Amino acid sequence: MGDIWAFLMQTLTVSGAAALVLLLKGMFTGRLSPRWQCAAWLILLPPLVLPTGRFGRHVLVNWPIVVETLRSMATGRFDQLTAVYAPVPLPPLAPPRDWADWLFFLYFIVALALLGRDVTAYVRLRRALRRGTAASAEVQGRIDAVAARYGLGTCPAVTAPGLPTAFVCGVFRPLLVLPEGAEVDDKVLLHELLHLKYRDAGWGLLIAFFRCVHWCNPLLWVCANRAGNDIESLCDQRVLERLEGEERRTYGRILLSMADGGGGGRPGTSSMANGPRNIRRRIEAIARFKRYPAGMGVAAVCVALMIAAPVAFGTVTDDFWDLTDTQSTDWQVAAAMSAARTAACTTPAGAVDAYGKAVIVGSPMYRAMCAPLSEQDALAEALRTQRMNRLWERWDSTLPTLAAPNRGYVVYNLTGRPERGYEGLLVIQLAHAPKGAPEPPENTAYCYLGVQTIRVERQGGRWVVLPQEDFRTVLAKGWDRLPSLNCTELPCQLYEAKSGDFTLRLRWQTTCTVDSYTWDNARLTALVAQRYDTTPLPGAEFTYECGQQLWAIYTGSEEGRGNYRTIGAELTRLRTDDGGSAPLEGAFEMSGVTDAYGGGTDGSSWGTTSLVGDWGSEIYLSGGGGLSVKDDFSLPEGFRASFFLNGRQAAELTLLPVKGGGAFE
């Protein structure tokens, strides 16, 4: 926690979990043993020790939206995103600049002072006890006898004047502290030795520490007091389980005699006397000893497990607060922008999906999901203007005209790795010709496309999309049906190798999409039963498809054409560990095989064709492709080919990328 907003997010998250634990404990008051009542506090431990909002997750309530909305309303800025790096306050690295910084500075100083007070009190107590009087051999013998009787461990004992009762001090080198000049009952010794066995002083230290961290949260103080009392009640339960008959009643009277005493001990200690109010609750628990309804423990465990998972691991929701009012208030804009900023795009595909759909529907809110923080202020103003003008004004994405409905978007030639980002060509079909451009020829498969080079990279735990240019217009063929892998109007990567009078040339092209088509229930009986859902999917994965076409380019003389009757090739993707020297697996003689081709999903293909008549200079040999889901898009290093002429292998070739030969320069 490095600022007041991070603390607010952390303490609200813990408060939500604490309220849930208190509700759970309230449901089973008087029905669960102290062991289960104490175990319920473990549900609160993950929100206390883990930074909230990690991996885009939140606990129970989407507190990041609440905090970001408050922050935007208070500061008037949208170019910030609250991040909790630690569950405890971190010292400010810069002098306070505004009221929020001063408020955090004040909080930090008070938390540090409270923590220092507790540490100082503990150190002074340890020093005083170190100078104290060691217990006599007789007293130490009694302690050892009680420990041996109940199978417990022991520790050194000291005596000190003015103590109301015994207590254990310390976790790693504990001491049993006894009142000087007073005889301590064996049952009190048993109580403290049980504290020693289960290291309850350590739990007390943890409770005291988080009470200092959340000193301004009254709900956490209530939980701290309740948790401390539950630890003592559990110790009472363990004592009673080892006593019988009259000894139990005597133990209750001893506890009752402490009801008029002072409060609890210092941090790092465990004391049988923890204040009149708490002692009364413990006596009530003792009265119910072994009377808890059968089966309630199982029911409580089931309920606890149901709520423990979302509290421990958090949940992810895609919260989009749509604004439909003709006049958007400041808080509505702040809430909408907060929902967009905190709906973190956790995958590159999620960021591209948010950006593509933002372009299609003209939504600044969707764009805010995948935009750098530096652009958030401008997007907030665009959202406010858009809503005030009743949606007539769209966010300016530079798309030349409206996008075609129900067609979505496709990313061509996406390459890169998670650590260095990705680049590709975003392609969106246009609804009609841009202004000033002629309409596509009638009864043809041509249509206009908006294309834009984009970069996807990780910034501060979010994947963002950075347009590298304004949208350009391309007239392409084939997009009226499906995004075409063999769209010659869009870039591809070329690979080439030369052998004699021929050059083998491979065209490599890829597409990435996110499946956003849903069934329309009103059209289940119609031929067209799907519609394109424009709601972003921040955690989406790409459906990746690759396609290739292998051509042979004749570069020889006209007189040499008569020397060739058939031509063919077998192609596989070059692997890094091949070394370029191993024989091509599966190579075969193609004598007697003509006019056939095939391919595999791994990028391999083969094909052969007859060279008869007046054959042209460009000869199609084979094609292949594949469909998969992936997040590592690396450009093939090359391809290895067995090249055949007249049915016999003429050469083994390595096709390498052509510099400047496509979209991957």
Side-chain angles (χ1 to χ4, degrees), residues 28 35 65 81 96 126 129 163 171 173 231 256 270 316 370 381 413 445 527 551 560 573 581 604 613 615 650 653:
F28 293 98
R35 183 171 283 105
I65 289 183
L81 189 62
R126 291 291 294 191
L129 295 177
L163 296 180
V171 179
R173 298 177 62 183
I231 290 175
L256 185 61
S270 57
V316 177
C370 58
E381 186 59 33
N413 306 332
L527 293 178
W551 297 75
R573 188 167 175 173
S581 59
S604 63
W615 46 276
L653 304 175

Side-chain angles (χ1 to χ4, degrees), residues 233-249:
S233 295
L234 177 56
C235 194
D236 293 336
Q237 173 89 0
R238 289 165 175 160
V239 170
L240 295 177
E241 289 172 349
R242 290 164 171 81
L243 301 178
E244 294 187 8
E246 185 61 30
E247 289 183 319
R248 292 176 181 168
R249 286 188 286 272

Side-chain angles (χ1 to χ4, degrees), residues 248-306:
R248 292 176 181 168
R249 286 188 286 272
T250 302
Y251 180 81
R253 286 194 290 270
I254 292 174
L255 193 62
L256 185 61
S257 67
M258 300 178 182
D260 296 329
R266 297 170 182 175
T269 67
S270 57
S271 174
M272 189 171 177
N274 63 336
R277 181 179 300 177
N278 290 328
I279 287 179
R280 283 195 291 270
R281 291 173 180 165
R282 290 164 60 190
I283 292 174
E284 292 173 359
I286 291 175
R288 293 192 297 268
F289 180 62
K290 289 190 176 179
R291 296 180 185 175
Y292 300 101
M296 289 306 296
V298 176
V301 169
C302 294
V303 174
L305 289 177
M306 290 177 60

Side-chain angles (χ1 to χ4, degrees), residues 572-588:
T572 62
R573 188 167 175 173
L574 184 66
R575 306 297 177 185
T576 304
D577 55 0
D578 283 346
S581 59
L584 187 66
E585 296 182 4
F588 59 92

Side-chain angles (χ1 to χ4, degrees), residues 405-419:
N406 211 41
R407 298 295 292 135
Y409 66 89
V410 176
V411 180
Y412 274 79
N413 306 332
L414 187 69
T415 58
R417 295 183 182 276
E419 62 274 11

Side-chain angles (χ1 to χ4, degrees), residues 356-370:
K357 291 173 179 176
V359 173
I360 290 173
V361 302
S363 170
M365 184 177 172
Y366 291 174
R367 174 57 181 137
M369 294 174 58
C370 58

Side-chain angles (χ1 to χ4, degrees), residues 207-230:
I207 292 171
F209 174 76
F210 282 108
R211 182 160 45 193
C212 293
V213 171
H214 299 272
W215 63 267
C216 53
N217 189 332
L219 184 60
L220 269 295
W221 280 73
V222 171
C223 290
N225 292 334
R226 292 282 299 274
N229 185 62
D230 286 344

Side-chain angles (χ1 to χ4, degrees), residues 277-574:
R277 181 179 300 177
N278 290 328
I279 287 179
R280 283 195 291 270
R281 291 173 180 165
R282 290 164 60 190
I283 292 174
E284 292 173 359
I286 291 175
R288 293 192 297 268
F289 180 62
K290 289 190 176 179
R291 296 180 185 175
Y292 300 101
M296 289 306 296
V298 176
V301 169
C302 294
V303 174
L305 289 177
M306 290 177 60
I307 66 175
V311 169
F313 302 105
T315 56
V316 177
T317 58
D318 299 332
D319 292 313
F320 299 107
W321 295 3
D322 193 16
L323 305 180
T324 56
D325 293 352
T326 57
Q327 297 290 326
S328 293
T329 62
D330 289 339
W331 79 263
Q332 287 176 306
V333 173
M337 291 296 296
S338 298
R341 288 201 308 282
T342 57
C345 296
T346 56
T347 62
V352 171
D353 191 63
Y355 181 74
K357 291 173 179 176
V359 173
I360 290 173
V361 302
S363 170
M365 184 177 172
Y366 291 174
R367 174 57 181 137
M369 294 174 58
C370 58
L373 293 179
S374 59
E375 299 181 13
Q376 298 291 328
D377 284 338
L379 291 169
E381 186 59 33
L383 179 62
R384 184 180 291 107
T385 302
Q386 184 186 73
R387 293 304 178 180
M388 292 182 66
N389 288 276
R390 301 176 63 88
L391 295 176
W392 286 110
E393 291 190 15
R394 296 166 57 86
W395 164 60
D396 183 16
S397 63
T398 74
L399 195 69
T401 186
L402 296 178
N406 211 41
R407 298 295 292 135
Y409 66 89
V410 176
V411 180
Y412 274 79
N413 306 332
L414 187 69
T415 58
R417 295 183 182 276
E419 62 274 11
R420 59 183 176 87
Y422 303 86
E423 287 193 5
L425 189 72
L426 180 69
V427 180
I428 296 176
Q429 183 174 337
L430 303 181
H432 48 78
K435 184 177 181 180
E439 291 292 336
E442 295 183 4
N443 302 321
T444 66
Y446 283 93
C447 64
Y448 281 102
L449 307 176
V451 300
Q452 182 186 59
T453 302
I454 60 172
R455 176 173 175 77
V456 190
E457 62 183 41
R458 198 171 183 85
Q459 293 184 2
R462 305 167 64 238
W463 284 97
V464 301
V465 175
L466 306 173
Q468 303 298 292
E469 59 177 345
D470 289 346
F471 273 96
R472 296 175 283 112
T473 302
V474 173
L475 183 61
K477 185 178 182 180
W479 261 72
D480 63 324
R481 296 181 300 275
L482 291 171
S484 174
L485 266 174
N486 300 319
C487 185
T488 57
E489 295 83 6
L490 296 178
C492 66
Q493 176 62 53
L494 297 182
Y495 296 82
E496 285 187 356
K498 186 173 178 61
S499 176
D501 291 338
F502 292 89
T503 297
L504 287 187
R505 178 176 296 165
L506 179 76
R507 299 182 75 256
W508 175 270
Q509 201 171 53
T510 66
T511 61
C512 290
T513 58
V514 171
D515 185 10
S516 296
Y517 285 95
T518 59
W519 291 101
D520 190 342
N521 293 330
R523 290 184 167 184
L524 285 179
T525 59
L527 293 178
V528 181
Q530 286 185 319
R531 64 179 180 85
Y532 187 76
D533 186 358
T534 56
T535 303
L537 304 172
E541 295 292 342
F542 278 127
T543 299
Y544 171 87
E545 189 172 4
C546 63
Q548 63 183 37
Q549 289 182 322
L550 181 63
W551 297 75
I553 312 299
Y554 181 68
T555 58
S557 64
E558 287 297 322
E559 294 77 11
R561 288 176 178 269
N563 297 328
Y564 307 110
R565 299 182 305 276
T566 63
I567 185 173
E570 184 186 13
L571 191 77
T572 62
R573 188 167 175 173
L574 184 66

